[in-house]
Amino acid sequence: MQNMVILGATGSIGASTLSVIEQNPEDYSVHTLVAHRSVDKMLELCLKHNPSIAHMVDPQAAAELQRRLPPHMAITVSSGEDELASIVALPEVDTVMAAIVGAAGLPSTLAAVKAGKRVLLANKESLVMSGRLFIDAMQASGATVLPVDSEHNAIFQCLPEIVQQSVGVCDLTSAGISHILLTGSGGPFLTSDLDTLSQMTPDQACKHPNWSMGRKISVDSASMMNKGLEYIEARWLFNATKAQLKVVVHPQSVIHSMVQYKDGSVLAQMGNPDMRTPIAHCMAYPERILAGVEPLDFFKVGQLSFLEPDFTRFPCLKLAIDACEQGQEATTVLNAANEMSVAAFLAGQIRFTDIARVNEYCLTQLAQQSLDSIEDILALDTQARRVANEYLNRL
């Protein structure tokens, strides 16, 4: 029986994780559910899953949850940002699903790694912002980190066991690997006229053709910034060089990613676009469990197609690839700027095409600096958000 903490329990990854747990109740127990301020959703989850701890980052939300929980339920309600580090490090906790969206998920995810837990990594920003620090902490603590993002999980499944057992420090060349092929659908604007992109609305950007996701990640998919962040994450997870990483546009989202070997072989992981598959894989690795996902029907799939990414259409993808080469400072700045610009777009303050403009501006404004601690990273993140906000106010 694995006791699990679910960071970001009220989001889409949290919901999928709880669904997999329901499929396998004899193997997994919900120890702690964590959310920001979604009291209604958290209350519903508490009534259904009866965790030991329900943690709301927002203190007012925690007080409201405490008031609404039935008195007979022995659930400890806690609150605050700093308290999360203590929760993920509890000795009775075995596995942590790290699914808090954005930079906000870094401190708790890193705390789980430092505590030596089995960490199911769905928060790509942790590696985007703190790559080397994260990998060093993982090695020092002996934590097991398993990638939940469908693309990275697909790559992981296609790797030899010796590479799977050395995440972050593996040698792809010695394992006979020539390329990691990171696939992406291209989102809802893949075939839209370039002249119309500036007029696209948030609802249009969030209408992903294959996946059901939150609004922020849906916009990132439309701009392919999501693939750019995944490119950076893949660089750290698989210790890959620029020459070993390729992005392939695959509109059908059936092949979730591929690994190309030096003998000419290409291994691909395929399946229906449902996050319960990679979540179940990470929860049970190296075993397999039921995920509640329908098997892929090849007679219904039809044709599979592949395209080279168009950086004119997807400038955010190019910014991310270039930032990855520049180093940790650039990727930290890019992530912060993108979170600010996407929020502004979703609020109707800027156009879709302004997202890339804001991101590029921030990269040119902030000088390179040394990032030796999580405090340095968070300080640069704050600085980048301030620069982004100033530029947004001028648009």
Side-chain angles (χ1 to χ4, degrees):
M1 177 71 72
Q2 289 188 39
N3 288 324
M4 294 189 63
V5 171
I6 303 177
L7 303 173
T10 57
S12 61
I13 295 295
S16 293
T17 303
L18 290 167
S19 176
V20 175
I21 291 174
E22 287 183 73
Q23 291 280 330
N24 304 273
E26 69 285 356
D27 295 322
Y28 304 94
S29 172
V30 179
H31 181 277
T32 301
L33 296 175
V34 176
H36 188 204
R37 61 166 68 96
S38 302
V39 176
D40 289 343
K41 286 185 179 180
M42 181 61 97
L43 178 61
E44 180 183 342
L45 294 180
C46 286
L47 294 174
K48 186 173 184 179
H49 299 283
N50 194 28
S52 298
I53 301 172
H55 183 89
M56 306 298 288
V57 175
D58 183 276
Q60 291 184 332
E64 175 68 10
L65 178 65
Q66 182 72 77
R67 187 184 67 80
R68 294 173 61 183
L69 276 172
H72 69 273
M73 297 192 77
I75 298 176
T76 299
V77 177
S78 59
S79 67
E81 184 87 38
D82 296 338
E83 191 70 22
L84 280 180
S86 300
I87 289 174
V88 297
L90 289 170
E92 62 267 32
V93 169
D94 303 303
T95 302
V96 176
M97 168 56 77
I100 295 176
V101 176
L106 172 59
S108 54
T109 303
L110 193 56
V113 170
K114 289 181 176 180
K117 302 299 183 180
R118 183 182 178 98
V119 179
L120 314 186
L121 186 63
N123 171 263
K124 62 177 66 65
E125 290 82 3
S126 290
L127 277 170
V128 169
M129 295 174 65
S130 71
R132 175 49 55 200
L133 194 70
F134 188 101
I135 298 300
D136 289 347
M138 181 187 71
Q139 283 193 281
S141 70
T144 298
V145 175
L146 297 165
V148 171
D149 271 348
S150 61
E151 295 82 1
H152 302 91
N153 184 263
I155 293 163
F156 184 88
Q157 292 194 51
C158 295
L159 293 171
E161 184 179 357
I162 190 172
V163 178
Q164 292 179 342
Q165 298 299 327
S166 54
V167 164
V169 294
C170 53
D171 187 336
L172 296 180
T173 301
S174 295
I177 296 164
S178 56
H179 294 101
I180 285 174
L181 305 175
L182 195 64
T183 61
S185 70
F189 303 151
L190 178 61
T191 59
S192 300
D193 192 306
L194 289 175
D195 294 336
T196 67
L197 293 183
S198 63
Q199 307 304 317
M200 294 299 183
T201 67
D203 285 344
Q204 288 173 304
C206 290
K207 194 175 182 180
H208 195 281
N210 304 322
W211 292 94
S212 176
M213 306 179 292
R215 287 175 73 78
K216 193 271 180 181
I217 195 173
S218 294
V219 174
D220 282 346
S221 180
S223 69
M224 283 200 80
M225 175 58 84
N226 194 45
K227 203 55 49 184
L229 298 177
E230 289 170 3
Y231 178 100
I232 299 165
E233 184 182 7
R235 174 262 177 272
W236 289 108
L237 279 173
F238 308 115
N239 197 26
T241 65
K242 183 178 181 179
Q244 292 171 323
L245 282 171
K246 291 184 178 180
V247 175
V248 178
V249 177
H250 169 52
Q252 294 82 16
S253 297
V254 171
I255 295 178
H256 300 305
S257 275
M258 300 172 278
V259 175
Q260 189 170 47
Y261 288 81
K262 64 182 180 181
D263 62 3
S265 300
V266 178
L267 300 187
Q269 189 271 335
M270 306 172 71
N272 285 315
D274 190 316
M275 285 304 299
R276 289 177 296 175
T277 295
I279 289 169
H281 176 264
C282 289
M283 286 171 59
Y285 177 82
E287 306 299 327
R288 298 276 179 169
I289 57 174
L290 289 173
V293 179
E294 287 295 318
L296 189 64
D297 186 338
F298 285 94
F299 299 111
K300 293 181 180 178
V301 167
Q303 294 184 337
L304 302 179
S305 57
F306 307 92
L307 302 166
E308 189 173 352
D310 178 359
F311 293 137
T312 302
R313 180 179 297 277
F314 302 115
C316 284
L317 175 59
K318 182 66 162 59
L319 288 174
I321 292 173
D322 290 345
C324 187
E325 285 302 296
Q326 292 171 42
Q328 200 68 69
E329 302 87 353
T331 57
T332 298
V333 169
L334 179 63
N335 180 71
N338 187 66
E339 287 190 19
M340 294 291 290
S341 57
V342 170
F345 169 67
L346 286 171
Q349 297 170 4
I350 63 173
R351 297 173 299 177
F352 178 75
T353 48
D354 288 332
I355 294 173
R357 291 176 58 194
V358 175
N359 295 345
E360 184 173 18
Y361 175 82
C362 291
L363 284 169
T364 62
Q365 293 300 304
L366 290 166
Q368 298 291 305
Q369 51 192 284
S370 178
L371 300 180
D372 299 319
S373 67
I374 188 172
E375 290 77 19
D376 291 341
I377 293 168
L378 294 176
L380 180 58
D381 177 81
T382 299
Q383 185 183 5
R385 289 171 192 274
R386 184 173 63 250
V387 171
N389 189 58
E390 291 171 354
Y391 187 61
L392 285 165
N393 288 334
R394 298 204 302 266
L395 287 178

